[in-house]
Amino acid sequence: MRCLWLQLLFILSFGGGLRAQLLVKVSGVVKDDLNNPLPKVTVSILGQDRLTVTDEKGIYHIYAYNTTFSLKYALLGYNPVIIEIRQVMARRVIQDVVLTGNINELEQVRVTNKRNQLSNTSILNVSDIFARTSVNGNFESLLKTLPGVSVNNELSAQYSVRGGNFDENLVYVNDVQVARPVLIRNGQQEGLSFINSDLLTSARFSAGGFEAKYDDKLSSVLDVRYDRPDSSQASLNVGFLGGAFASKILSRNSYLMAGLRYKNNATLLGRQDNKGSYSPNFTDAQLVYQYNLSGHFFLNFLGSFNGGSFRLIPDSRETKFGTLNTLLRLQTAYQGEELDDYQSAGMAVSASLFPKPELSLKWINSYFHTLERERIDIEGRYQLSELSIVPGNLPVQDGATGGYTNYAHNNLKSQVFTSEFKATQNYEDHVFFAGLRFEHKSYHDDISEFSFVDSAGVLGRGDFSGFYQDNFIRARNELFIEYLSGYIQDSYQVSDHSDLQLGLRANINTLSRQLLLSPRLLLAYRSPGDDKIFRFMAGVYQQAPDYRSIRDFSGSLVRDQLAQRSYNTSVGLDCAFDGLSTRLKLTSELYYKYQDRLVPYMMDNVRIRYLAGEQAKGNIYGLDMSIGGEFVKDLVSYFRLSLMKANQKLAGDDRGYLKRPTDQRVNVSVYFQDRLLNSPSYKVHLNLMYGSKMPLGAPLERRYSDSFSIPAYKRVDIGFSRDFLDDLGQKKPQFLEHYFSSFAAYLEVFNLLNINNTVSYLWLKDVNNVQYGIPNYLTSRQLNLKLIIKFKNSNRKDR
């Protein structure tokens, strides 16, 4: 069976909109100088955003748009090879290659590239991030188009995976775990995420069922690498919303990478309903340095500073909302301002030792210090009016007048120190992994905030009932937590076509004082033609309590909270087949998660508010599917569909199972790229996203509820680009070609259809005690221009 029904379905669905193009297909086997096949060799077409990776047998397939081009074969620890291909017409070409070892790095490669490594993570095409049309410009925008990831906020870098919340995701950069801010309330306060796209060389993502070598969290893992670059190079990225500069310097025994980023999206925020003076400024600096003391011992340093401030002096707001039969308008005049700032500095030092060809040892030490501050003192006077639904929208009835106040003076200082030892040992058909990790966290939190709504003097008479508000919260907390965890894992090649992975993770902490044991199993079978992979996964995932989850609405700490636990299982199928003149890949996974000892929470924009003293149990189940390929040669496009249901039952609650805040039943995304037929250096990048409605708690209750919902999220972004030095261009400007290897200009249209997507609500009452939910909309249509420039290295030498 060659997935014929899938080919037929896809051709009927999309075949009419795609044009067939001639191409050269190059296939072959990459081996080392001992005639052993080499997996995970990167095969790329120079001058084009085209690459593939060899499979476990060293086999590769790659497609070229034109008939004359150069192929580069690269693998860490081996000298790269460049081969020129010249064909008179479109055809299939067989090209086998032999790579010779680089003595300085070969010991590391022998450990990390064994055939029988097994993982439930997918390799991301990191080059996609630069062409993708994204408002926030962060790497995480790429994740929001992946199966299992929910979408409802383009301003935020946070993401929800398979019914989990933002705090349930693991993020690693060079084996160092990265944390997210605590005090962020909404996406417009967010700046630059930790990951610098200009420095990364590879990224892996798992939406569930990840290995025991990763820490204990309930939802997902993102594993990013800043590894040795292919050559010395520099790049510049500038646009209306900010800029970035990166430099990579490569020498025989070392390399240095540095990146600077700046972001200011004031022009984007100024088009929202809240009018005023926006001043969002965010900066980030990162440095990576590695020195090879010998072919067996490496030292690596990672340093970072990430900071930003968000200042808003609001002036007025006008929002129209309602139904087809009733149109309402909120008009608000403001006084006061909001000032939030965030600073995080940290460093990590790691030492890697390869005493034998089959043994790898690594010791990692990291320290991060973070300071977050909120200063909010805003008063608003509002008027609600009913408008005529006929053109012109003239007022037909004046409603409530009143005011509301938001005040916050919060400071949070957190420090994290981590020391971890990791070992990898190859033995015949086994790869053994083991690790031991110690982590110390400290939090110092000073909270002072209140908010209230006064509609015609209701609150002035002391009637606080019926308002779901955090009123008069004042607390000062200190918390110190220590975690000790370890894991063992064996990846075993059972046969030529099947692999088995068994792992066990143990964790204990000074807060809950539980000994947490998490066994995990992964079984994979590859068909003889390597065009299908079947996977089965089962495992236990336990997330120990942390400061955010034990702080309740009043600011007090629930110190006896237990670890949240999830029993996960899934079955998956990956299928590859030729169709539409390209290689298509279908991935699918059906999953089920039963969870207990859950800490229920409510969402307000991107702020997670835990009901820290309560417990719940629940289940999540769903199906993730995606299909993709180079429908237009040289450019990858894909379609994904995710179906999911997430519910929970609170202990002692007689309402039965309720929807979770992340219960987004349907997610669909399409990323399509094309070229102009007669001018192939001109490209179009189209991104469509749909996420169904999400539950929202009732504002009149102080307990968890799912009585309301946020409407479905719908968004279309489109970008147009041209690389003036594209190999497919008919003529390259000589001046640009002399100084640059790439010079690409982008015109982007955010929210092409100008859809008002709701992220949260402002709840107000009128004098008759009728409550209104006024939607807080996300960004409207906006244009953006940017340039991405890669400087030519006159001293470039391939390793």
Side-chain angles (χ1 to χ4, degrees):
M1 178 178 177
R2 297 285 296 176
C3 296
L4 292 178
W5 66 274
L6 293 170
Q7 298 182 46
L8 178 61
L9 175 63
F10 199 79
I11 292 172
L12 291 175
S13 302
F14 296 98
L18 301 174
R19 66 176 187 270
Q21 298 182 17
L22 297 177
L23 71 158
V24 175
K25 178 181 179 180
V26 184
S27 304
V29 179
V30 181
K31 299 182 178 181
D32 62 15
D33 47 6
L34 298 178
N35 205 36
N36 297 314
L38 287 176
K40 303 187 185 306
V41 177
T42 299
V43 184
S44 59
I45 299 179
L46 296 182
Q48 303 178 22
D49 292 332
R50 308 277 338 285
L51 61 85
T52 187
V53 178
T54 58
D55 63 15
E56 301 298 334
K57 296 182 179 179
I59 299 173
Y60 72 94
H61 306 278
I62 193 167
Y63 297 83
Y65 180 81
N66 46 346
T67 56
T68 300
F69 52 91
S70 296
L71 286 176
K72 180 177 180 179
Y73 304 81
L75 177 63
L76 181 66
Y78 292 81
N79 297 310
V81 171
I82 297 178
I83 295 177
E84 186 175 2
I85 304 293
R86 291 182 179 272
Q87 297 295 321
V88 177
M89 61 182 67
R91 55 170 293 184
R92 295 175 181 259
V93 176
I94 304 298
Q95 181 65 62
D96 296 334
V97 176
V98 175
L99 298 185
T100 58
N102 184 320
I103 190 63
N104 286 328
E105 298 174 359
L106 190 55
E107 303 303 330
Q108 178 183 11
V109 173
R110 289 179 180 173
V111 175
T112 59
N113 286 328
K114 288 290 286 187
R115 169 179 177 171
N116 56 357
Q117 287 195 38
L118 180 65
S119 176
N120 201 30
T121 59
S122 57
I123 300 175
L124 305 183
N125 186 355
V126 297
S127 62
D128 276 355
I129 190 64
F130 300 105
R132 186 172 299 278
T133 304
S134 168
V135 167
N136 63 52
N138 288 315
F139 175 80
E140 288 78 3
S141 62
L142 176 63
L143 302 181
K144 296 183 180 183
T145 62
L146 299 180
V149 182
S150 298
V151 294
N152 74 327
N153 191 340
E154 70 272 5
L155 286 174
S156 175
Q158 311 305 325
Y159 52 95
S160 171
V161 181
R162 291 183 176 176
N165 67 34
F166 308 148
D167 292 336
E168 298 174 11
N169 302 318
L170 286 165
V171 179
Y172 290 90
V173 175
N174 284 11
D175 296 324
V176 178
Q177 192 175 148
V178 179
R180 63 181 289 263
V182 174
L183 297 184
I184 294 294
R185 295 171 181 256
N186 54 65
Q188 63 187 15
Q189 296 174 327
E190 288 192 39
L192 296 160
S193 69
F194 188 92
I195 299 171
N196 188 327
S197 302
D198 293 316
L199 301 183
L200 67 87
T201 53
S202 64
R204 290 176 173 269
F205 179 75
S206 173
F210 47 87
E211 305 161 61
K213 68 179 183 179
Y214 295 115
D215 206 357
D216 274 307
K217 286 203 174 181
L218 300 184
S219 290
S220 73
V221 60
L222 173 63
D223 191 354
V224 168
R225 302 293 310 176
Y226 295 167
D227 284 330
R228 182 184 179 95
D230 289 333
S231 62
S232 298
Q233 53 192 271
S235 63
L236 178 66
N237 184 333
V238 293
F240 287 168
L241 303 181
F245 175 78
S247 178
K248 303 176 183 179
I249 302 174
L250 180 64
S251 64
R252 179 175 176 81
N253 295 315
S254 65
Y255 64 87
L256 174 69
M257 299 192 296
L260 297 173
R261 292 182 291 166
Y262 172 74
K263 177 180 176 180
N264 185 320
N265 55 358
T267 57
L268 190 69
L269 301 178
R271 299 175 64 89
Q272 294 184 299
D273 286 348
N274 275 337
K275 305 301 181 184
S277 174
Y278 287 87
S279 181
N281 292 283
F282 307 100
T283 57
D284 175 85
Q286 294 187 24
L287 177 71
V288 180
Y289 178 73
Q290 178 167 306
Y291 185 77
N292 301 343
L293 295 173
S294 69
H296 304 273
F297 186 52
F298 310 149
L299 291 177
N300 185 279
F301 171 83
L302 169 65
S304 74
F305 172 81
N306 189 301
S309 65
F310 173 81
R311 186 182 185 189
L312 169 61
I313 304 177
D315 178 60
S316 62
R317 169 178 177 168
E318 179 174 325
T319 302
K320 295 179 181 179
F321 62 102
T323 65
L324 292 176
N325 299 319
T326 304
L327 181 62
L328 302 175
R329 179 179 65 188
L330 171 72
Q331 293 175 300
T332 308
Y334 292 107
Q335 289 184 337
E337 70 173 336
E338 175 181 351
L339 177 61
D340 311 304
D341 65 89
Y342 168 86
Q343 296 179 3
S344 178
M347 60 177 290
V349 178
S350 63
S352 300
L353 177 64
F354 304 90
K356 297 189 297 183
E358 305 299 322
L359 177 63
S360 165
L361 305 175
K362 190 171 186 179
W363 185 28
I364 309 166
N365 294 276
S366 64
Y367 172 79
F368 287 90
H369 181 279
T370 303
L371 178 63
E372 302 175 57
R373 293 181 292 191
E374 286 184 318
R375 302 290 186 270
I376 305 173
D377 191 356
I378 296 178
E379 295 183 5
R381 301 297 301 176
Y382 67 88
Q383 180 180 24
L384 280 167
S385 304
E386 183 178 347
L387 303 180
S388 170
I389 60 174
V390 300
N393 300 141
L394 297 176
V396 297
Q397 180 179 348
D398 290 335
T401 59
Y404 57 88
T405 298
N406 289 324
Y407 174 86
H409 192 286
N410 300 328
N411 299 284
L412 174 64
K413 182 176 71 173
S414 58
Q415 299 178 80
V416 180
F417 169 75
T418 303
S419 183
E420 182 175 11
F421 176 78
K422 305 172 70 173
T424 304
Q425 172 71 59
N426 292 335
Y427 180 73
E428 295 182 350
D429 293 329
H430 296 264
V431 180
F432 296 99
F433 302 86
L436 186 64
R437 184 172 187 263
F438 170 79
E439 183 177 38
H440 173 84
K441 293 184 177 181
S442 66
Y443 298 92
H444 301 268
D445 195 8
D446 191 356
I447 313 167
S448 178
E449 65 177 66
F450 64 85
S451 62
F452 64 84
V453 179
D454 187 353
S455 178
V458 173
L459 295 184
R461 298 193 298 270
D463 181 11
F464 285 87
S465 63
F467 285 84
Y468 191 46
Q469 304 281 354
D470 274 346
N471 291 298
F472 308 109
I473 301 174
R474 189 178 296 276
R476 180 169 293 174
N477 299 320
E478 284 191 350
L479 181 66
F480 303 93
I481 314 176
E482 293 181 344
Y483 302 85
L484 182 63
S485 61
Y487 66 89
I488 54 173
Q489 179 177 303
D490 177 22
S491 294
Y492 172 54
Q493 182 181 339
V494 180
S495 67
D496 289 340
H497 301 290
S498 59
D499 297 274
L500 174 66
Q501 183 185 96
L502 296 172
L504 176 66
R505 188 169 189 92
N507 192 326
I508 191 170
N509 65 85
T510 58
L511 188 60
S512 67
R513 300 182 182 277
Q514 298 170 274
L515 176 61
L516 308 174
L517 299 177
S518 303
R520 298 169 192 177
L521 174 148
L522 177 62
L523 178 65
Y525 172 78
R526 301 176 183 85
S527 63
D530 281 339
D531 57 350
K532 301 182 189 70
I533 299 179
F534 300 89
R535 299 183 312 277
F536 171 78
M537 185 282 302
V540 180
Y541 297 82
Q542 304 191 70
Q543 184 166 325
D546 204 346
Y547 179 74
R548 193 199 305 265
S549 66
I550 70 172
R551 197 183 90 174
D552 65 12
F553 282 8
S554 66
S556 59
L557 303 184
V558 180
R559 295 177 181 268
D560 59 351
Q561 189 178 99
L562 299 178
Q564 302 179 82
R565 180 168 54 189
S566 180
Y567 300 89
N568 295 7
T569 185
S570 67
V571 291
L573 167 65
D574 294 350
C575 178
F577 55 92
D578 289 323
L580 301 175
S581 300
T582 188
R583 187 71 171 172
L584 299 177
K585 180 180 180 181
L586 171 77
T587 63
S588 60
E589 191 163 63
L590 183 69
Y591 62 90
Y592 177 82
K593 299 191 284 188
Y594 172 78
Q595 299 176 320
D596 61 1
R597 300 198 304 238
L598 294 172
V599 182
Y601 59 91
M602 303 184 74
M603 295 294 301
D604 181 12
N605 204 312
V606 299
R607 189 185 194 189
I608 301 176
R609 299 150 62 97
Y610 284 97
L611 300 164
E614 299 189 32
Q615 275 194 14
K617 64 179 181 179
N619 56 68
I620 304 172
Y621 53 90
L623 171 67
D624 293 332
M625 298 181 65
S626 72
I627 188 168
E630 296 175 358
F631 307 127
V632 176
K633 304 308 176 284
D634 303 333
L635 300 175
V636 177
S637 302
Y638 46 85
F639 168 87
R640 71 100 172 191
L641 170 67
S642 294
L643 306 175
M644 183 265 296
K645 183 177 182 180
N647 53 31
Q648 63 183 5
K649 185 180 187 303
L650 276 68
D653 194 318
D654 58 1
R655 293 174 295 172
Y657 280 89
L658 304 174
K659 301 173 186 175
R660 294 196 196 182
T662 53
D663 181 53
Q664 195 171 39
R665 301 292 175 87
V666 181
N667 267 277
V668 178
S669 67
V670 178
Y671 182 59
F672 183 76
Q673 301 185 90
D674 201 355
R675 294 181 185 269
L676 297 186
L677 183 60
N678 297 321
S679 301
S681 61
Y682 289 88
K683 305 173 188 176
V684 180
H685 317 275
L686 181 66
N687 193 30
L688 299 90
M689 288 187 289
Y690 171 83
S692 60
K693 64 182 182 180
M694 300 181 68
L696 183 68
L700 296 179
E701 299 185 50
R702 278 194 170 272
R703 64 176 181 170
Y704 181 83
S705 70
D706 61 356
S707 307
F708 297 90
S709 63
I710 292 177
Y713 180 87
K714 294 162 283 188
R715 187 175 178 90
V716 179
D717 298 317
I718 190 169
F720 306 89
S721 69
R722 183 192 179 190
D723 188 345
F724 294 90
L725 300 178
D726 194 318
D727 286 345
L728 299 181
Q730 297 178 355
K731 185 177 180 181
K732 299 180 182 179
Q734 293 184 357
F735 172 79
L736 296 181
E737 191 173 18
H738 181 72
Y739 292 101
F740 308 106
S741 61
S742 175
F743 195 98
Y746 292 79
L747 171 63
E748 301 173 322
V749 185
F750 303 137
N751 197 357
L752 177 66
L753 303 182
N754 203 27
I755 298 172
N756 285 329
N757 286 307
T758 301
V759 68
S760 62
Y761 287 94
L762 170 65
W763 298 96
L764 300 177
K765 280 189 175 185
D766 64 16
V767 68
N768 298 316
N769 207 35
V770 176
Q771 185 162 253
Y772 299 90
I774 293 87
N776 295 315
Y777 294 127
L778 289 163
T779 57
S780 59
R781 184 188 295 123
Q782 177 83 9
L783 291 176
N784 183 48
L785 287 173
K786 69 178 181 181
L787 289 174
I788 299 180
I789 302 169
K790 296 180 180 179
F791 296 90
K792 181 172 289 187
N793 177 21
S794 59
N795 296 320
R796 176 171 176 168
K797 294 181 180 180
D798 293 314
R799 293 182 297 123

